[in-house]
């Protein structure tokens, strides 16, 4: 349902190179960047029944909470929330399979989250928004 892959970095007199050699993006069809206006913003809860997503913090840190949705029309309020912190210094990738909803919050000012999707915009109707306070 979710998997986290930690990258690494190499540093010398020329600077630093961050990499994640285990990340496979062969399914990706679309990419976008999320920048929250401030640290209090939580982009909660948006889900996809069919779409798979990959999250990578490219600047700063993010807290991403995920819920596996049992019923997209009437989900239980008691669903388990799993939390993941992504750090750009580790070039960590969080892979979120279809059937999940996410909450995204920046933990550092000016953080940027790179997001990949396996569907192009408008290719499918698969965007579900839930009450921002539904799961804690």
């Amino acid at each position: 349902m979710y998997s986290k892959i930690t990258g690494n970095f190499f540093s010398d007199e020329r600077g630093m190179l961050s990499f994640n050699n285990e990340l496979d993006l062969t399914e990706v069809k679309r990419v976008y960047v999320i920048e929250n206006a401030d640290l209090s913003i939580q982009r909660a809860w948006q889900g996809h029944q069919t779409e798979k997503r990959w999250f990578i913090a490219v600047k700063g840190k993010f807290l991403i909470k995920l819920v596996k949705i049992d019923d997209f029309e009437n989900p239980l309020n008691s669903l388990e929330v799993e939390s993941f912190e992504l750090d750009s210094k580790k070039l960590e990738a969080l892979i979120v399979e279809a059937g999940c909803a996410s909450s995204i919050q920046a933990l550092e000012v000016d953080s940027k989250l790179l997001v990949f999707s396996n569907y192009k915009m408008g290719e499918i109707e698969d965007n579900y928004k839930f009450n921002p306070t539904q799961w804690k």
Side-chain angles (χ1 to χ4, degrees):
M1 177 166 50
Y2 329 113
S3 57
K4 187 174 176 182
I5 302 171
T6 300
N8 212 328
F9 68 92
F10 171 78
S11 181
D12 64 15
E13 68 280 353
R14 300 170 292 173
M16 189 169 81
L17 172 74
S18 298
F19 57 91
N20 192 320
N21 293 336
E22 301 302 315
L23 183 60
D24 181 358
L25 297 173
T26 54
E27 298 176 70
V28 170
K29 293 184 178 181
R30 180 168 57 106
V31 61
Y32 54 97
V33 175
I34 294 174
E35 297 177 63
N36 285 355
D38 62 56
L39 299 180
S40 68
I41 302 292
Q42 287 186 26
R43 293 174 179 262
W45 288 94
Q46 183 167 313
H48 302 282
Q49 193 167 13
T50 307
E51 183 179 337
K52 179 177 179 179
R53 292 172 295 154
W54 295 255
F55 296 108
I56 300 173
V58 292
K59 183 177 180 187
K61 291 182 183 177
F62 281 87
L63 175 63
I64 300 184
K65 296 178 183 177
L66 300 172
V67 173
K68 177 69 175 162
I69 303 296
D70 60 330
D71 177 350
F72 273 83
E73 298 307 320
N74 190 25
L76 291 173
N77 290 327
S78 60
L79 296 176
E80 181 182 347
V81 175
E82 293 195 51
S83 297
F84 300 87
E85 189 174 302
L86 297 181
D87 186 341
S88 63
K89 292 179 181 162
K90 297 178 185 175
L91 202 63
E92 297 169 314
L94 180 61
I95 302 165
V96 181
E97 298 295 335
C100 298
S102 62
S103 168
I104 298 169
Q105 183 174 13
L107 298 177
E108 293 180 357
V109 174
D110 296 324
S111 291
K112 293 183 180 186
L113 186 68
L114 186 62
V115 184
F116 298 98
S117 169
N118 63 334
Y119 285 94
K120 293 180 182 179
M121 185 64 113
E123 187 175 358
I124 59 173
E125 293 286 328
D126 188 41
N127 192 18
Y128 296 84
K129 294 189 187 235
F130 303 100
N131 183 322
T133 60
Q134 187 155 357
W135 302 288
K136 300 286 180 191

